Amino acid sequence: MNPTASLMCGRHRLDLSYPRVMGILNVTPDSFSDGGRHVALDDALRHAERMLAEGAALIDVGGESTRPGADSVSPQEELDRVAPVVEALVRELDALVSVDTSCPEVMRESAALGAGLINDVRSLEREGALAAAIGSGLPVCLMHRQGEPQDMQQAPRYDVPIEEAVADYLAARVAECEAAGLRRERLLLDPGFGFGKTVEHNLRLLNRMACLDELELPLLVGMSRKSMIGKVLERPVEERLPGGLALTSLAVERGARILRVHDVAPSVDAVNMTWAVLKEGC
Ligand code: PT1
């Protein structure tokens, strides 16, 4: 990709001439938080504020869990979770907000509320999503996946090397978006770690990720706390940060420009340290 590129994300300009960190803000209800909407909104705001203070360039808000085995939610439910948080992050923090959604209604409403980026793990394949994304005027991250969250980890297999499968799929999605009138300048790509891939697929995909540079679009990656770390190191989810930082460093070396993470402060240090070394070799 053009190393001086920056991306217009609504009223924010995102400088991608160096790698940036995206902080994850899940707004999916869990068994621990039943304190009602106001408490949840307040918690979300404080969490986002902290991630921004720690150096996150943008906040990714998601109302549908897409981790393996997760159930799907209705568009209305997703909208009810996401919209108040997007609105508050924009109004109270003037944050650059990314919305992790595949749902056209959520894309439209979030854009109207001031979101700056659409992050769709289904690459605008849902009916109406491509039109909604085009209409939003926002940049879009297209991600590779095989299957749906409910069943994608059952027996993932590929007929060609994983990096080829991923590159071919993403190239086809880019072509479809461009044909529909979504300009290339508005696209980012994500190899989709953990989405219909074995541990070996994920490790090889990271190793060969530089192949995706040929598509000449900014790369976004998400590996934070994922089971690929858990399986290699035999660590539960709360002990995966050191492994994740190692992967972050490798991803930056192989061209990633946005790192989607839970642990912002240590990830910003890992990214900046890695970049300090790479920059001297330019
Ligand atoms: C991702 C991503 C995402 N990941 C983008 N958006 C998730 N662009 C949600 C596991 O194996 O990588 N890129 N939005 C979360 N998905 C998963 C998948 C979480 C796998 C956990 C696993 O543990």
Side-chain angles (χ1 to χ4, degrees):
M1 102 183 244
N2 171 1
T4 61
S6 69
L7 202 60
M8 277 320 298
C9 301
R11 62 199 188 290
H12 292 269
R13 180 188 295 276
L14 180 62
D15 181 0
L16 292 180
S17 63
Y18 61 104
R20 311 302 297 268
V21 167
M22 166 191 261
I24 299 170
L25 188 64
N26 286 322
V27 291
T28 48
D30 59 42
S31 50
F32 303 108
S33 69
D34 58 352
R37 290 208 176 269
H38 288 299
V39 176
L41 186 60
D42 214 55
D43 283 353
L45 258 174
R46 275 189 288 119
H47 186 196
E49 197 167 26
R50 175 169 164 203
M51 292 195 285
L52 293 167
E54 290 175 344
L58 68 171
I59 304 292
D60 191 41
V61 177
E64 180 209 9
S65 176
T66 52
R67 72 182 52 168
D71 286 328
S72 56
V73 292
S74 73
Q76 190 58 51
E77 173 68 27
E78 197 187 329
L79 196 57
D80 290 346
R81 292 176 186 176
V82 167
V85 177
V86 172
E87 185 179 25
L89 294 187
V90 168
R91 201 187 48 215
E92 312 259 334
L93 306 178
D94 192 30
L96 171 39
V97 177
S98 155
V99 255
D100 188 345
T101 188
S102 302
C103 173
E105 291 88 341
V106 177
M107 292 175 190
R108 268 192 294 272
E109 183 65 18
S110 300
L113 292 169
L117 188 112
I118 293 168
N119 171 27
D120 183 3
V121 302
R122 295 181 186 81
S123 290
L124 305 179
E125 287 190 66
R126 279 235 179 116
E127 175 140 23
L130 185 49
I134 291 172
S136 74
L138 299 178
V140 181
C141 180
L142 305 173
M143 197 196 77
H144 174 271
R145 74 182 197 302
Q146 187 179 76
E148 281 295 317
Q150 292 80 0
D151 60 17
M152 66 189 179
Q153 289 307 111
Q154 265 159 30
R157 62 176 299 277
Y158 293 86
D159 294 329
V160 297
I162 181 77
E163 67 278 13
E164 281 177 36
V166 169
D168 290 353
Y169 170 85
L170 290 173
R173 292 310 300 152
V174 170
E176 171 143 350
C177 288
E178 282 193 278
L182 187 54
R183 299 190 46 194
R184 223 187 139 70
E185 292 70 35
R186 277 174 56 192
L187 296 174
L188 302 102
L189 302 178
D190 185 332
F193 291 102
F195 285 85
K197 298 169 183 85
T198 63
V199 187
E200 292 73 25
H201 289 141
N202 287 311
L203 299 176
R204 181 182 164 109
L205 185 55
L206 176 58
N207 195 314
R208 302 287 170 98
M209 203 177 71
C211 296
L212 299 178
D213 277 355
E214 283 170 27
L215 296 167
E216 295 192 300
L217 290 171
L219 296 180
L220 187 159
V221 304
M223 296 183 285
S224 183
R225 299 184 186 172
K226 284 188 182 176
S227 54
M228 63 188 286
I229 304 166
K231 287 192 180 133
V232 170
L233 301 178
E234 299 183 41
R235 300 278 183 234
V237 70
E238 65 278 8
E239 292 174 17
R240 293 177 186 170
L241 177 58
L245 295 175
L247 299 181
T248 288
S249 183
L250 286 169
V252 168
E253 194 271 336
R254 282 153 170 74
R257 282 299 162 101
I258 301 182
L259 290 298
R260 182 182 181 277
V261 305
H262 299 89
D263 305 283
V264 171
S267 300
V268 167
D269 273 4
V271 165
N272 290 345
M273 194 68 235
T274 306
W275 188 246
V277 175
L278 295 175
K279 226 172 25 184
E280 290 306 319
C282 289

